[in-house]
Amino acid sequence: MKTELDALLTALYVHLDDHVMPSPAQPRKRGRPPVLTSAEAVVVAVAQVLLRCDQERYWMRTAAARIGHLFPRLPSQAVYNRQLRKLGPQMSAAALWLARHVPTWHEPLRLMDGTPVRCGASRVTVNRSSLGEIAGYGMDKSHHAFYWGAKLMLITTADGAVTAFSLACPKELDERKQALHLLHVTPIAPGPCPIVCDKGFAGAGIEKAAADLGHRLIRPAREDEPAPALPFPGWLRQRIEAIIWTLKNQLGLERHNARHPDGLWARISQRILALNAVIWHN
């Protein structure tokens, strides 16, 4: 395993600048030019996640000491925050590009699960937050508790690289509808493959729709169903639980501190990009 942060950031910047978000030649505009290009800002955002600095204000105070030898000029906290919110779509595209360049992308197996992303814990936040257009009340069955936030759907490889993800309001789309939408709009593998999931994706409708796309859903049997001939691979099912735990605890997704929908999407993409970048670099 490679643990050299400078090597990871350098390799990530080279590949992003060459293949994903090359710096376009634009005419000089009035005002100050941006301190960081899009590729440089994304690399700085990845370093923030890997160094476990959840708040941009704290990160801008420590970034010079941690990565100042790679980025002699860094923007202010306000400029960095605005640039980070605008780069949400590019970070998600970069994360999926990295997932397609790991060896397990070609393995015919995927893991799928959804997890809540909490955005508030008080009624005042629910009434006043700008996240109301994407957040809503939902049920976290893993912890037997209601929450106010969004539902994050993940499809990953066996080693943890996220190949597709989406964010939806839990009141508008349940897990099955969100999973079907994700399977329709995003290629999760080079071809049809089995998808290991949990009982929440049970149903003739979703299984038929997934089969029409060429994917077979593998899940544990419900209590009212006969036991399958082959036992369900519970050990494999736990892998995506470990991936979600890594995103939420080690990479700070549970502490995203987002206040706007574009900021929430940017911070989720930032964490997933950091996870895929580490797997890709190793």
Side-chain angles (χ1 to χ4, degrees), residues 34 75 80 86 160 224 262 275:
Y80 174 73
K86 293 180 181 178
D224 57 346
D262 53 351
L275 176 64

Side-chain angles (χ1 to χ4, degrees), residues 52-116:
R52 300 190 179 186
C53 295
D54 300 324
Q55 299 182 359
E56 282 81 8
R57 184 176 302 175
Y58 175 74
W59 169 239
M60 286 293 101
R61 291 200 301 263
T62 60
R66 304 301 296 270
I67 60 171
H69 57 289
L70 298 176
F71 300 94
R73 297 181 60 199
L74 291 170
S76 63
Q77 184 265 333
V79 174
Y80 174 73
N81 185 271
R82 288 196 298 268
Q83 191 172 15
L84 190 65
R85 287 169 56 180
K86 293 180 181 178
L87 288 174
Q90 297 187 49
M91 286 191 290
S92 60
L96 299 183
W97 183 88
L98 292 176
R100 286 158 175 76
H101 288 78
V102 297
T104 50
W105 165 257
H106 301 281
E107 292 183 359
L109 176 66
R110 293 294 180 266
L111 313 177
M112 180 171 64
D113 198 7
T115 183

Side-chain angles (χ1 to χ4, degrees), residues 12 15-16 19-21 42 86-101 162-165 186 265-266 268-270 272-273 276:
L12 180 62
H15 282 78
L16 291 181
H19 305 289
V20 184
M21 47 183 69
V42 169
K86 293 180 181 178
L87 288 174
Q90 297 187 49
M91 286 191 290
S92 60
L96 299 183
W97 183 88
L98 292 176
R100 286 158 175 76
H101 288 78
V162 180
T163 61
F165 64 100
T186 307
W265 179 255
I268 291 175
S269 302
Q270 179 185 7
I272 293 177
L273 173 59
N276 285 0

Side-chain angles (χ1 to χ4, degrees), residues 2-23:
K2 303 176 183 177
T3 59
E4 180 62 38
L5 180 63
D6 290 359
L8 187 153
L9 298 180
T10 303
L12 180 62
Y13 169 73
V14 170
H15 282 78
L16 291 181
D17 191 63
D18 288 346
H19 305 289
V20 184
M21 47 183 69
S23 303

Side-chain angles (χ1 to χ4, degrees), residues 188-207:
I188 64 170
C193 63
I195 303 175
V196 177
C197 53
D198 60 8
K199 296 180 182 179
F201 298 94
I206 184 174
E207 292 180 359

Side-chain angles (χ1 to χ4, degrees), residues 117-155:
V117 179
R118 292 173 174 81
C119 299
S122 67
R123 188 63 188 174
V124 176
T125 303
V126 173
N127 293 333
R128 298 183 180 181
S129 175
S130 300
L131 291 168
E133 60 186 73
I134 194 172
Y137 284 104
M139 178 63 180
D140 184 3
K141 296 182 180 179
S142 299
H143 299 87
H144 305 284
F146 287 96
Y147 69 94
W148 187 80
K151 193 64 174 287
L152 176 64
M153 185 64 59
L154 296 171
I155 299 179

